[in-house]
Amino acid sequence: MANEECTRCGLPDTRRSVKNDTDGVCSVCRHHELKNTVIDWDAREREFTALVEGIRGRHEYDAVVPFGGGKDGAFVLHHLVRERGLRCLAVTVDNRFMRQQAWQNLSTVLDELGVDQVTYRPPFPLVKRMMQAGFEAVGTVCWHCNASITAYPVRVAVQLGVPLVVHAHSSAEYHSYPGRTYADPPESDLADEDYQEVATGLGFDRMAQELKDVDRKDLEAFSYPSRDEIARAGVRPIFLSNYLKWDEKRQVEIIRRELGWGSTSQEGIPEGYEHEKFDCFLVGTRDYLRFIQEGYGRGARLGAIEARLGRMTRDEAIQLGKSSDGRRPASLDRVLQLLDVDEEVFLDGATKQVSSGREFDLELVKRGSALPDADDMPG
């Protein structure tokens, strides 16, 4: 059965976790109806104010913020420091594929805001093995990054007794996993390690089984703390998007103007959206895998966001996706070396994870242009 596109945002129903209703509207667009028409954002803001007032100044740091140089972490830090007067600790996970602009943003933003930083940098041989294991298990090369970004900041907060961990946006912005929508109570999807499995597509225990010869202590940074650990430490992880109405384009304008934050081109990102996921060399391959498996790329997702915010028509959103999605990234050559596979084996592994109804035609794939800093990519 051929896939159907949402009548509002234009994204295909082959996306994981997403369903179209009898009107052809996808479940994510229905979530955004709640976001835009039902949720009392003034009440949510008051709730957040009460939370902030209850923790400010009681510990060495008021909040931990995951920040790797991208737009979301920069905005969260700006809001908490400049608007809320909190003392924050930035936690950076160096996934070993960060680009120079991301490192520059880290320096610029943290210096501008006067924020301390902790960085976790896993050994490259371990990263390579996790990439290989993740690809073989569920067709992803990004498990090591997604797992550590979700787990390590919470672990730091638990270890240092920081009462709040503020992530940027919840999964409800882009997905519709059960119990993880704007209709659900805030933070219902940050309760425990189940959040990490949904966010990464592969639970920690399964990855640990794939790496039986690696000491579990060496994998701790990738393991989300248990509900009991978090509760005993008095830590509360939250998403800022559950308290402030999320609008990435508006937020980018703020951090450019106020913090000197910058961006650059990225594989699979349409012109005019350079602020989107430029920070990592693996993004092109990640989005190519999503296109193969689920039928859409970064451009289509950006168009869908703009359509839900009323800044773009459905047809314009679809066209934005066609302008950039489905290109074979030039950086894939380096990724194939890291995975130690040829392209035929890569495509075979990728297509094993194809969503029901998705039909992928390799003959239609065009080759993308190399990044200007492609030679800086490790491997």
Side-chain angles (χ1 to χ4, degrees), residues 67-70 92-110 117 119-121 278-279 281:
F67 181 43
T92 300
V93 173
D94 175 5
N95 71 354
R96 307 306 302 271
F97 294 95
M98 290 173 62
R99 297 172 68 197
Q100 185 57 42
Q101 184 62 57
W103 290 112
Q104 180 60 52
N105 284 343
L106 282 167
S107 177
T108 300
V109 170
L110 297 180
Q117 178 189 29
T119 300
Y120 172 63
R121 187 176 190 261
F278 63 84
D279 49 305
F281 281 111

Side-chain angles (χ1 to χ4, degrees), residues 121-157:
R121 187 176 190 261
F124 195 75
L126 178 61
V127 166
K128 181 177 177 179
R129 290 193 61 192
M130 286 183 167
M131 290 176 65
Q132 293 168 335
F135 183 75
E136 291 172 4
V138 292
T140 180
V141 296
C142 297
W143 188 89
H144 73 283
C145 181
N146 293 333
S148 52
I149 286 173
T150 57
Y152 188 67
V154 181
R155 286 204 166 275
V156 170

Side-chain angles (χ1 to χ4, degrees), residues 26-312:
C26 77
S27 45
V28 179
C29 282
R30 292 300 188 194
H31 298 169
H32 281 258
E33 280 186 14
L34 296 172
K35 172 183 173 180
N36 295 324
T37 64
V38 175
I39 292 176
D40 185 341
W41 289 104
D42 289 337
R44 289 283 183 94
E45 195 276 339
R46 291 193 295 272
E47 184 180 348
F48 187 64
T49 297
L51 172 60
V52 166
E53 294 298 329
I55 65 167
R56 185 189 291 112
R58 298 189 178 186
H59 301 79
E60 181 179 3
Y61 297 105
D62 301 313
V64 161
V65 177
F67 181 43
K71 64 187 186 309
D72 295 331
F75 176 74
V76 172
L77 283 169
H78 174 270
H79 183 79
L80 296 184
V81 175
R82 291 272 174 89
E83 303 296 328
R84 300 289 180 167
L86 296 188
R87 179 170 171 77
C88 295
L89 175 66
V91 174
T92 300
V93 173
D94 175 5
N95 71 354
R96 307 306 302 271
F97 294 95
M98 290 173 62
R99 297 172 68 197
Q100 185 57 42
Q101 184 62 57
W103 290 112
Q104 180 60 52
N105 284 343
L106 282 167
S107 177
T108 300
V109 170
L110 297 180
D111 285 350
E112 178 68 26
L113 294 174
V115 170
D116 293 346
Q117 178 189 29
V118 170
T119 300
Y120 172 63
R121 187 176 190 261
F124 195 75
L126 178 61
V127 166
K128 181 177 177 179
R129 290 193 61 192
M130 286 183 167
M131 290 176 65
Q132 293 168 335
F135 183 75
E136 291 172 4
V138 292
T140 180
V141 296
C142 297
W143 188 89
H144 73 283
C145 181
N146 293 333
S148 52
I149 286 173
T150 57
Y152 188 67
V154 181
R155 286 204 166 275
V156 170
V158 168
Q159 291 166 4
L160 298 182
V162 182
L164 197 62
V165 180
V166 186
H167 299 274
H169 57 75
S170 75
S171 59
E173 278 291 304
Y174 309 115
H175 303 285
S176 58
Y177 297 107
R180 294 167 168 85
T181 76
Y182 276 111
D184 298 299
E187 284 67 76
S188 60
D189 56 348
L190 271 173
D192 53 36
E193 57 269 25
D194 288 346
Y195 160 66
Q196 185 188 42
E197 184 163 358
V198 170
T200 64
L202 180 67
F204 172 79
D205 287 340
R206 186 174 173 190
M207 176 58 77
Q209 281 295 312
E210 296 291 330
L211 305 174
K212 291 180 181 178
D213 59 320
V214 178
D215 192 316
R216 281 236 174 182
K217 291 182 179 179
D218 294 332
L219 300 177
E220 187 176 68
F222 303 89
S223 174
Y224 200 82
S226 70
R227 185 193 299 264
D228 288 343
E229 286 180 274
I230 295 172
R232 285 197 303 268
V235 173
R236 180 175 176 181
I238 70 168
F239 291 113
L240 190 58
S241 69
N242 283 333
Y243 300 93
L244 298 180
K245 196 172 182 181
W246 205 250
D247 183 344
E248 292 180 350
K249 210 165 186 179
R250 177 186 62 81
Q251 291 157 195
V252 166
E253 293 174 359
I254 292 173
I255 59 176
R256 285 192 193 281
R257 181 180 66 247
E258 300 294 329
L259 303 178
W261 181 90
S263 59
T264 188
S265 60
Q266 174 63 282
E267 294 175 306
I269 305 295
E271 186 177 351
Y273 292 85
E274 287 79 9
H275 58 268
E276 175 72 15
K277 291 304 293 181
F278 63 84
D279 49 305
C280 174
F281 281 111
L282 294 181
V283 167
T285 296
R286 177 184 180 182
D287 288 344
Y288 185 47
L289 283 167
R290 181 186 285 123
F291 182 83
I292 292 171
Q293 296 164 355
E294 301 183 54
Y296 76 106
R298 189 75 54 168
R301 190 172 85 165
L302 288 165
I305 293 170
E306 294 296 276
R308 293 178 193 128
L309 290 169
R311 294 195 291 244
M312 191 174 280

